[in-house]
């Protein structure tokens, strides 16, 4: 069957929508033909497949529980195949992509990624795909779990205000991506049209304490990264695979702070990780964790143990199981690391419980490191003998700029803008400017714990930097009078007074 004729050309379909002329009847006619043709094929193949993989006859009928990410439907405990009705609704919705950035997402179920579907190997799935009447576009679905033309795409082209029904047997166990496959396919995927279906192996998966659904994907916007307002899809950037955002679960921060995944020390965690693309391959990694068991490629079997980073192709998946042994906030990243720290591919798993110092000690000592032959005066050290006691404002700005570029810029960025969810801004920072003594204390002692800077929350660790009083006074004078800040200078005396 030639699927290409069924996929409406975008430009034509837009025109047709605008003019309100007869494209819907044409679509319906095509759909009718497709449904009539495919239903027969699918049910015939389906029944054969069911006979081949079922242990016993098909029994009963049920409606699948679908969940929004990061939730996963409960494990299926049946020991026989059944007929499963899946009802999925496509909605085009405007939502937040990043703080202050809006996007018109095309979704399976109202959010990105699409709703998680869980069936059992051998189940006969009756799929009902509805396209909400307020939507502008025709859509369909290609489930990688489906054996059949277009993975169901051909049978599911659906106009706004219609529902398509097709059926298939879930012959192959594993974790599979599904996505819209209406032309231009890349645009429908880029707008958020992907999700996952787990075909649970008939012997089940080993029991774990927590199961979560995490899906990476990228967005291409007309404006630059973090440019505010409603952003349109940018086809040129998409063709170049020059993503503005790479995110987990549909937006920057979707799994951070109070939306973080959670677990307790001693528990086992399973992540169903997918990559919707449309363009990039994910190097999925959790900072400070090791995956104990991995189903590479989302396949039915564990094929690796003790893995640091799993490769997840666009349109692919992986299942990773691991135990959590130590309380901390673990950071999920795409280890193509600029995507994590600059484009949003960063999520959190917060593990609570008692710390066992034999698993991990935390920092035990900070000792001065003076290798033989090193020049003492180049080592920043709080008691450096030659530190000046008075500096002019111009000298402070000069010294401060140097210290800033050598030390602070790595985290707070050369522009002082920081990095959302990781390093707070110093530029126009209300937190920095509100309290001089507090700023001095941060430079003297480092800083951890939750803070709010310019309305955004941060909960990171700024290390103690071992700077002398003159350097602290200078760098604070500099940052309090740069990047749009203006404040009075910080003197060496003031810093000295805060040292205990
Ligand atoms: Cu679509």
């Amino acid at each position: 069957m030639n699927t290409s004729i069924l996929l409406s050309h975008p430009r034509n379909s837009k025109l047709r929508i605008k003019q309100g002329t007869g494209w819907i009847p044409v679509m319906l006619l095509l759909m009718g033909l497709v449904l009539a043709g495919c239903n027969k094929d699918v049910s015939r193949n389906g029944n054969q497949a069911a006979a081949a993989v079922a242990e016993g006859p098909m029994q009963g009928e049920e409606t699948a529980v679908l969940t929004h990410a990061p939730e996963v439907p409960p494990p299926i405990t049946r020991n026989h195949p059944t007929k499963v009705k899946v009802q999925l609704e496509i909605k085009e919705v405007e939502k937040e992509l990043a703080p202050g950035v809006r996007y018109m997402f095309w979704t399976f179920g109202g959010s990105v990624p699409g709703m998680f579907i869980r069936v059992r190997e051998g189940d006969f799935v009756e799929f009902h795909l509805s396209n909400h009447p307020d939507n502008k576009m025709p859509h369909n679905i290609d489930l990688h779990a489906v054996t059949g033309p277009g993975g169901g795409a051909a049978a599911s082209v659906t106009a706004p205000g219609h529902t398509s029904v097709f059926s298939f047997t879930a012959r192959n166990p594993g974790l599979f991506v599904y996505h819209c496959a209406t032309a231009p396919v890349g645009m429908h995927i880029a707008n958020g049209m992907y999700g996952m279906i787990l075909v649970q192996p008939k012997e089940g998966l080993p029991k774990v304490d927590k199961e979560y659904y995490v899906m990476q994907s990228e967005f291409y916007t007309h404006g630059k990264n973090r440019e505010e307002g409603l952003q349109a899809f940018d086809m040129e950037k998409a063709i170049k695979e020059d993503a503005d955002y790479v995110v987990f679960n549909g937006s920057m921060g979707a799994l951070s702070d109070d939306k973080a995944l959670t677990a307790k020390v001693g528990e086992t965690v399973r992540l169903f990780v997918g990559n919707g693309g449309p363009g990039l391959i994910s190097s999925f990694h959790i900072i400070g964790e090791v995956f104990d068991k991995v189903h590479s490629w989302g396949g039915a079997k564990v094929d690796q143990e003790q893995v640091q980073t799993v490769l997840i192709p666009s349109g692919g998946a992986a299942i990773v199981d691991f135990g959590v042994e130590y309380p901390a906030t673990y950071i999920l990243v795409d280890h193509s690391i600029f995507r994590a720290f600059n484009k949003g591919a960063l999520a959190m798993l917060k593990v609570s419980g008692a710390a066992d110092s034999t698993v991990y000690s935390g920092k035990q000592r900070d000792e001065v490191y003076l290798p033989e032959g090193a020049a003492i005066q180049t080592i920043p050290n709080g008691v450096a003998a030659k530190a000046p006691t008075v500096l002019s404002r111009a000298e402070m700005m000069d010294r401060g700029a140097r210290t800033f570029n050598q030390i602070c810029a790595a985290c707070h960025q050369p522009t002082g803008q920081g990095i959302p969810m990781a390093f707070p801004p110093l530029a126009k920072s209300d937190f920095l400017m509100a309290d001089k003594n507090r700023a001095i204390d941060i430079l003297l002692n480092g800083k951890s714990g939750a803070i709010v800077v310019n309305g955004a929350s941060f909960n990171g660790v700024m290390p103690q930097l071992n700077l002398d009083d003159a350097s602290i006074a200078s760098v604070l004078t500099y940052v309090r009078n740069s990047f749009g800040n203006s404040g009075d200078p910080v003197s060496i005396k003031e810093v000295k007074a805060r040292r205990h």
Side-chain angles (χ1 to χ4, degrees), residues 252-456:
M252 278 181 89
L255 292 175
S256 293
D257 302 321
D258 55 341
K259 288 178 265 170
L261 307 177
T262 58
K264 296 196 192 76
V265 167
E267 285 187 328
T268 46
V269 179
R270 172 172 298 139
L271 301 182
F272 296 106
V273 193
N275 183 4
L280 304 179
I281 291 170
S282 172
S283 302
F284 183 73
H285 176 79
I286 301 184
I287 300 173
E289 262 302 341
V290 173
F291 306 131
D292 297 332
K293 295 199 173 350
V294 175
H295 296 242
S296 300
W297 323 119
K301 287 202 168 63
V302 169
D303 63 342
Q304 264 299 350
E305 297 187 344
Q306 318 315 134
V307 171
Q308 61 198 301
T309 300
V310 291
L311 198 60
I312 309 183
S314 173
I319 305 174
V320 297
D321 291 6
F322 54 97
V324 288
E325 291 87 13
Y326 192 84
T329 297
Y330 294 93
I331 308 289
L332 288 60
V333 295
D334 179 339
H335 212 294
S336 290
I337 209 75
F338 282 105
R339 298 178 189 169
F341 290 107
N342 299 73
K343 295 185 170 184
L346 203 146
M348 296 178 185
L349 167 66
K350 290 193 179 172
V351 176
S352 58
D356 174 351
S357 65
T358 65
V359 175
Y360 181 73
S361 73
K363 183 161 183 167
Q364 292 175 301
R365 276 191 289 285
D366 185 332
E367 294 164 342
V368 175
Y369 171 60
L370 287 178
E372 235 177 299
I376 289 172
Q377 54 272 42
T378 65
I379 310 247
N381 180 324
V383 292
K386 277 164 59 185
T389 50
V390 183
L391 289 168
S392 72
R393 184 170 174 140
E395 284 170 325
M396 294 235 261
M397 289 297 283
D398 217 49
R399 258 180 103 106
R402 248 179 300 136
T403 305
F404 179 83
N405 288 320
Q406 280 168 12
I407 299 176
C408 323
C411 298
H412 292 284
Q413 303 301 293
T415 56
Q417 298 291 343
I419 292 178
M421 293 174 296
F423 304 115
L426 300 177
K428 301 193 175 146
S429 160
D430 54 3
F431 191 92
L432 164 66
M433 300 310 284
D435 187 338
K436 204 197 247 189
N437 281 337
R438 179 173 66 187
I440 295 172
D441 291 347
I442 290 174
L443 274 283
L444 283 170
N445 309 319
K447 171 93 186 86
S448 62
I451 59 172
V452 175
V453 183
N454 296 344

Side-chain angles (χ1 to χ4, degrees), residues 139 180 188 193:
H139 300 284
C180 183
H188 283 249
M193 302 200 74

Side-chain angles (χ1 to χ4, degrees), residues 13-14 16-18 23-24 27 88-94 104-111 129-140 156-163 180 182 188 191-193:
S13 67
K14 247 193 216 144
R16 282 174 190 154
I17 288 167
K18 270 206 193 110
W23 74 277
I24 288 180
M27 289 279 306
L88 191 55
E89 185 190 40
I90 295 168
K91 283 189 205 152
E92 299 169 6
V93 287
E94 193 194 305
M104 178 57 87
F105 295 94
W106 299 350
T107 74
F108 286 105
S111 51
L129 185 69
S130 301
N131 192 351
H132 194 279
D134 292 344
N135 292 348
K136 306 273 183 299
M137 293 285 162
H139 300 284
N140 65 359
S156 61
V157 179
T158 309
H162 289 259
T163 296
C180 183
T182 305
H188 283 249
N191 282 343
M193 302 200 74

Side-chain angles (χ1 to χ4, degrees), residues 25-36:
V26 175
M27 289 279 306
L28 292 180
L29 182 68
L30 283 171
M31 283 162 49
L33 289 172
V34 170
L35 284 177

